[in-house]
């Protein structure tokens, strides 16, 4: 694939927002103009470029007459929201940075303005979890009768707003309902409730399913659950406990999240971690983050991990995530599972295949390839093709 930056992580994140274009979340020329201002390895330049773009598009959206031109206004608000999220993406290494909150407020405001302008306006709701609130959005199909419904969450760093552009709108276009949601550790819950991720993701999914079953628009026998990226571990985990789902979709699939992350640090640091020497482990990891020669993807992954899991030190973070494995749980999953894999996955290579193998006959394993432009992590940049494959599969499941 053509590289959008000499920095492989920046390439991926630029491709990520570029990939929202088919579903109203970005415009190609705008994103490429911002990309031209980003310096490899310079996280501040990434934030500055997208903040400038977001501010410009947001101002344009505000100037549109929403009554006269609702479609134009909605499209501009959605794009501004995406760009504000991109501007925030690399800021989480400094928890006291006020932009973490100010940019998020702007992305929510723009997105909410767009929601109200959909042909069937999206509905913001807050559900009660086990000691936490679950922000969610219901996107109705607008069609009569009970319709298939897919509930969906993002992963390690993404928001529920992003899910609309990733696959949510594609679901709506099929005449189905969508419910996006966020749990502990995910962007809005992390900010507003100061909660990091929890492994017991069924505590998030079950209240969402409970809510779905109260909606007269929802076919109770055709509810699917989809998880994106790290959500490809979260959704299967929930499926081991929540058996009212017709199917689960893991894009891309994950079997051993925590143990896999630890293994990426190499045998020497693994040994230090297992010895319990937190001081030494923290020193080595913190020094790597400070080193400008450390790959952007590594520096970001550590900073985001600390933030999302609400961990004060690398040792605390790695300790927390060791319980994020499906070992001992996989046998409790009873519904069909679609496991997506990406040929060029730079984050979790081999994990989707491992999940599929452990699930056995319940699995439909699909490898998205480079030749189709779908080989990047979660098939980023190929959302139209991926949506066709995934949603055709789900349709077949609920029809049979």
């Amino acid at each position: 694939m053509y590289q959008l930056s000499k920095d492989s992580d920046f390439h991926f994140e630029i491709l990520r927002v570029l990939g929202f274009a088919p579903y109203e979340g970005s415009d190609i020329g705008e994103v490429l103009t911002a990309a031209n201002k980003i310096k490899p390895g310079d996280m501040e330049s990434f934030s500055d470029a997208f903040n400038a773009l977001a501010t410009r598009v947001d101002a344009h959206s505000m100037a549109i007459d929403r009554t006269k031109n609702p479609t134009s206004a909605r499209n501009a608000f959605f794009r501004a929201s995406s760009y504000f999220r991109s501007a925030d993406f690399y800021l989480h290494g400094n928890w006291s940075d006020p932009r973490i909150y100010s940019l998020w407020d702007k992305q929510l405001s723009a997105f909410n303005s767009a929601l109200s302008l959909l042909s069937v306006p999206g509905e913001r709701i807050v559900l009660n979890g086990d000691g936490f609130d679950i922000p969610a959005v219901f996107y109705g199909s607008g069609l009569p009768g009970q319709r298939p419904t897919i509930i969906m969450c993002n992963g390690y760093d993404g928001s529920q707003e992003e899910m609309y552009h990733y696959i949510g709108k594609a679901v709506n276009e099929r005449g189905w309902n969508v419910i996006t949601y966020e749990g502990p550790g995910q962007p809005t819950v992390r900010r507003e409730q100061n909660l990091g991720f929890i492994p017991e993701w069924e505590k998030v999914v079950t209240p969402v399913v409970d809510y779905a079953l109260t909606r007269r628009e929802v076919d109770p026998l055709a509810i699917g659950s989809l998880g994106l990226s790290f959500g490809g571990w979260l959704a299967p985990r929930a499926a081991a406990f929540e058996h009212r789902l017709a199917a689960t979709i893991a894009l891309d699939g994950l079997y051993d999240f925590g143990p896999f992350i630890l293994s990426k640090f190499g045998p020497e640091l693994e040994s230090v971690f297992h010895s319990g020497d937190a001081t030494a482990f923290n020193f080595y990891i913190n020094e790597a983050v400070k080193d400008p020669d450390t790959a952007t993807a590594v520096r970001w992954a550590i900073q985001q991990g600390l933030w999302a899991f609400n961990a004060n030190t690398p040792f605390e973070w790695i300790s927390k995530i060791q319980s994020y494995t499906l070992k001992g749980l996989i046998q409790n999953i009873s519904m069909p599972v679609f496991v997506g894999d990406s040929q060029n996955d730079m984050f979790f290579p081999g994990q989707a295949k491992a999940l599929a193998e452990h699930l056995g006959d319940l699995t439909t394993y699909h490898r998205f390839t480079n030749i189709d432009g779908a080989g990047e992590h979660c098939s980023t940049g190929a959302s139209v093709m991926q949506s066709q494959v995934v949603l055709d599969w789900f349709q077949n499941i609920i029809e049979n």
Side-chain angles (χ1 to χ4, degrees), residues 56-74:
R56 187 166 62 253
V57 175
D58 195 46
H60 174 64
S61 66
M62 293 290 193
I64 298 172
D65 186 331
R66 303 185 203 187
T67 302
K68 185 177 180 180
N69 303 114
T71 300
S72 295
R74 182 188 71 231

Side-chain angles (χ1 to χ4, degrees), residues 156 256-276 281 285 301-302 314-324 347-348 351:
Y156 191 71
D256 265 333
F257 173 74
F260 179 83
I261 293 293
L262 177 58
S263 73
K264 299 300 286 183
F265 288 112
E268 290 186 16
L269 275 178
E270 276 193 85
S271 178
V272 172
F273 174 79
H274 287 305
S275 76
F281 187 82
I285 299 300
I302 295 166
F315 189 86
E316 181 187 353
W317 165 51
I318 293 295
S319 297
K320 282 185 174 184
I321 65 175
Q322 293 314 294
S323 61
Y324 288 75
F347 298 112
F348 302 109
Q351 280 293 301

Side-chain angles (χ1 to χ4, degrees), residues 292-365:
D293 291 331
T294 299
T296 301
V298 174
R299 287 187 289 135
W300 169 82
I302 295 166
Q303 293 173 339
Q304 178 63 25
L306 293 170
W307 162 258
F309 286 82
N310 203 10
N312 292 309
T313 69
F315 189 86
E316 181 187 353
W317 165 51
I318 293 295
S319 297
K320 282 185 174 184
I321 65 175
Q322 293 314 294
S323 61
Y324 288 75
T325 175
L326 293 176
K327 185 177 182 180
L329 294 172
I330 205 86
Q331 69 275 10
N332 298 329
I333 297 175
S334 57
M335 76 282 291
V337 181
F338 182 99
V339 176
D341 196 359
S342 299
Q343 183 179 351
N344 196 40
D345 190 345
M346 64 186 285
F347 298 112
F348 302 109
Q351 280 293 301
K353 187 69 171 176
L355 175 60
E357 289 174 350
H358 280 91
L359 281 167
D361 292 342
L362 290 173
T363 310
T364 296
Y365 171 79

